[in-house]
C-alpha cells in the first residue's frame, strides 16, 4: 500500500490545494503521507521535548522562577509559556498514566490485609473509586486549595481568588506531575506506603510555600506562618471531605457496609 495520499482539497476549509503545499486560504499544511507510528513518535517528541518548545521552558521555569511564569500569565503573558489549563491537562495525563501503572502495587504496599475484613473492603472500595475519578478529584481540588490559599493571604491584596486559582493550576499541576515521575520507580522499590507519603507530601508543601513566597515576595518567617495556617485549613477540609465522600459513596451504593 502506498504511503502517499492524494489531496485535492484542504481538510480544514475545503479550498482547492492540489498544486499547493500550504492552503492559500487558511495556511494549513497539506499532509500527503499516511500516519505511521514513526510519525506519531516524531510529532510527540517535537511537541514536548524540543528544547525550544514552550513546555520545556514552562517546566524548568516553574522550578527556577515560578513567579515569572504565573504572574506573567495572570498579567497577560500568553505566548512564552504553556497556558494554565494546558499545563493542567499535561499533568493529568502524566498522573493518569502513573496511576494506571502503580494502582495494583499501591494496594499491595498499603496492606489492606492489616485491617479487619469489613474495614479492608471499605478501604479497597474507597481506593478504587478515588483512582477511577482521579481527574475529576484533581480538578475539584484546585479551586478548594485556591479558596484556602486566598483565606490565608486575606490581608494581602496582590492576587484575587481567580488569580489564586491560576496559581494552583500551575503549581499544583507542576509538583503533582513531577512527583509522579519521581515516585514511579520508588513505588516498585519501597515496600512501605508510609515512606512514600513521607517523601511525597513534604515536597508538595515545600514547593507550594516556595511558589507563594516568590509570588508575594515575603520573608521566610511569614511564609512559614502562612504555611502552618494553610495546613490547619487543609486538615479540617480533609476530614470533612473524607466524611462526606464516604457517606455519599455509601448512599449511592458505590461502597457498602458488609453485614456482620
Amino acid at each position: 500500500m502506498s504511503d502517499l495520499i492524494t489531496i485535492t482539497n484542504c481538510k480544514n476549509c475545503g479550498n482547492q490545494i492540489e498544486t499547493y503545499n500550504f492552503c492559500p486560504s487558511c495556511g494549513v499544511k497539506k499532509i500527503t503521507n499516511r500516519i505511521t507510528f514513526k510519525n506519531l513518535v516524531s510529532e510527540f517528541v517535537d511537541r514536548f521535548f524540543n528544547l525550544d518548545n514552550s513546555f520545556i521552558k514552562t517546566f524548568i521555569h516553574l522550578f527556577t522562577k515560578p513567579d515569572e511564569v504565573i504572574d506573567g500569565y495572570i498579567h497577560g503573558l500568553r505566548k512564552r509559556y504553556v497556558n494554565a489549563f494546558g499545563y493542567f491537562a499535561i499533568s493529568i495525563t502524566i498522573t493518569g498514566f502513573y496511576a494506571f501503572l502503580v494502582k495494583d502495587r499501591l494496594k499491595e504496599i498499603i496492606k489492606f490485609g492489616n485491617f479487619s475484613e469489613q474495614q479492608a473492603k471499605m478501604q479497597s472500595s474507597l481506593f478504587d473509586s478515588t483512582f477511577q475519578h482521579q481527574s475529576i478529584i484533581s480538578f475539584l481540588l484546585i479551586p478548594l486549595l485556591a479558596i484556602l490559599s486566598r483565606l490565608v493571604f486575606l490581608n494581602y491584596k496582590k492576587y484575587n481568588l481567580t488569580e489564586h486559582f491560576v496559581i494552583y493550576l500551575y503549581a499544583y499541576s507542576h509538583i503533582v506531575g513531577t512527583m509522579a515521575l519521581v515516585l514511579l520507580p520508588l513505588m516498585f522499590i519501597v515496600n512501605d506506603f508510609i515512606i512514600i507519603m513521607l517523601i511525597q507530601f513534604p515536597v508538595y508543601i515545600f514547593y507550594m510555600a516556595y511558589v507563594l513566597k516568590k509570588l508575594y515576595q515575603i520573608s521566610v518567617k511569614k511564609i512559614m506562618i502562612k504555611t502552618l495556617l494553610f495546613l490547619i485549613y487543609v486538615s479540617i477540609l480533609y476530614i470533612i471531605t473524607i466524611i462526606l465522600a464516604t457517606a455519599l459513596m455509601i448512599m449511592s451504593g458505590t461502597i457498602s457496609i458488609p453485614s456482620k
Side-chain angles (χ1 to χ4, degrees):
M1 182 181 292
S2 174
D3 289 335
L4 297 178
I5 305 171
T6 301
I7 301 293
T8 58
N9 295 89
C10 175
K11 299 295 183 181
N12 186 54
C13 68
N15 192 56
Q16 204 282 333
I17 57 169
E18 190 170 1
T19 58
Y20 298 96
N21 290 324
F22 291 86
C23 176
S25 177
C26 67
V28 170
K29 183 179 179 181
K30 181 170 70 173
I31 305 297
T32 57
N33 293 323
R34 288 183 177 277
I35 192 168
T36 64
F37 182 73
K38 182 180 179 181
N39 297 147
L40 288 176
V41 173
S42 177
E43 187 174 331
F44 177 82
V45 171
D46 184 62
R47 176 66 182 86
F48 291 105
F49 297 102
N50 189 306
L51 289 178
D52 294 328
N53 193 275
S54 59
F55 171 74
I56 295 296
K57 189 183 296 183
T58 306
F59 182 82
I60 294 172
H61 285 184
L62 279 171
F63 280 121
T64 59
K65 39 188 174 182
D67 49 326
E68 181 178 303
V69 179
I70 300 170
D71 191 72
Y73 181 86
I74 288 172
H75 290 96
L77 184 63
R78 296 290 189 270
K79 298 295 184 182
R80 186 178 303 172
Y81 300 109
V82 177
N83 70 69
F85 282 101
Y87 203 76
F88 174 75
I90 293 171
S91 176
I92 286 296
T93 302
I94 293 171
T95 54
F97 184 65
Y98 167 78
F100 173 76
L101 292 177
V102 305
K103 181 179 178 182
D104 292 338
R105 173 60 177 166
L106 265 176
K107 276 191 170 183
E108 180 183 332
I109 63 176
I110 289 176
K111 300 172 183 176
F112 290 127
N114 292 339
F115 297 104
S116 67
E117 183 179 352
Q118 179 177 338
Q119 289 175 326
K121 285 182 179 180
M122 290 187 66
Q123 291 288 340
S124 182
S125 296
L126 185 60
F127 179 88
D128 289 337
S129 296
T130 300
F131 265 76
Q132 184 179 353
H133 302 100
Q134 179 183 334
S135 298
I136 297 172
I137 291 171
S138 293
F139 191 73
L140 293 176
L141 187 59
I142 288 176
L144 289 175
L145 291 174
I147 292 169
L148 295 181
S149 182
R150 184 67 191 98
L151 288 173
V152 169
F153 286 91
L154 198 58
N155 58 326
Y156 289 80
K157 306 301 180 184
K158 187 174 183 179
Y159 299 109
N160 62 31
L161 178 59
T162 303
E163 289 162 345
H164 272 264
F165 179 73
V166 172
I167 291 170
Y168 282 87
L169 270 177
Y170 270 120
Y172 176 85
S173 299
H174 183 66
I175 196 59
V176 169
T178 300
M179 288 305 294
L181 298 175
V182 172
L183 291 174
L184 182 57
L186 287 177
M187 291 297 301
F188 298 93
I189 298 172
V190 176
N191 292 313
D192 192 336
F193 182 66
I194 299 298
I195 295 176
I196 299 293
M197 297 284 283
L198 289 174
I199 296 171
Q200 186 175 12
F201 285 101
V203 173
Y204 287 174
I205 294 164
F206 177 83
Y207 179 73
M208 291 308 309
Y210 162 71
V211 170
L212 290 166
K213 181 184 183 302
K214 296 279 282 185
L215 286 166
Y216 277 97
Q217 299 179 343
I218 57 179
S219 67
V220 172
K221 180 180 178 181
K222 284 185 178 179
I223 196 60
M224 288 177 67
I225 294 171
K226 295 293 185 184
T227 300
L228 179 60
L229 182 58
F230 183 82
L231 289 174
I232 292 171
Y233 287 159
V234 168
S235 299
I236 295 170
L237 178 64
Y238 178 78
I239 293 169
I240 294 172
T241 301
I242 290 296
I243 293 171
L244 291 177
T246 304
L248 286 171
M249 284 188 286
I250 292 173
M251 291 171 62
S252 65
T254 304
I255 62 173
S256 58
I257 302 175
S259 57
K260 295 182 179 179

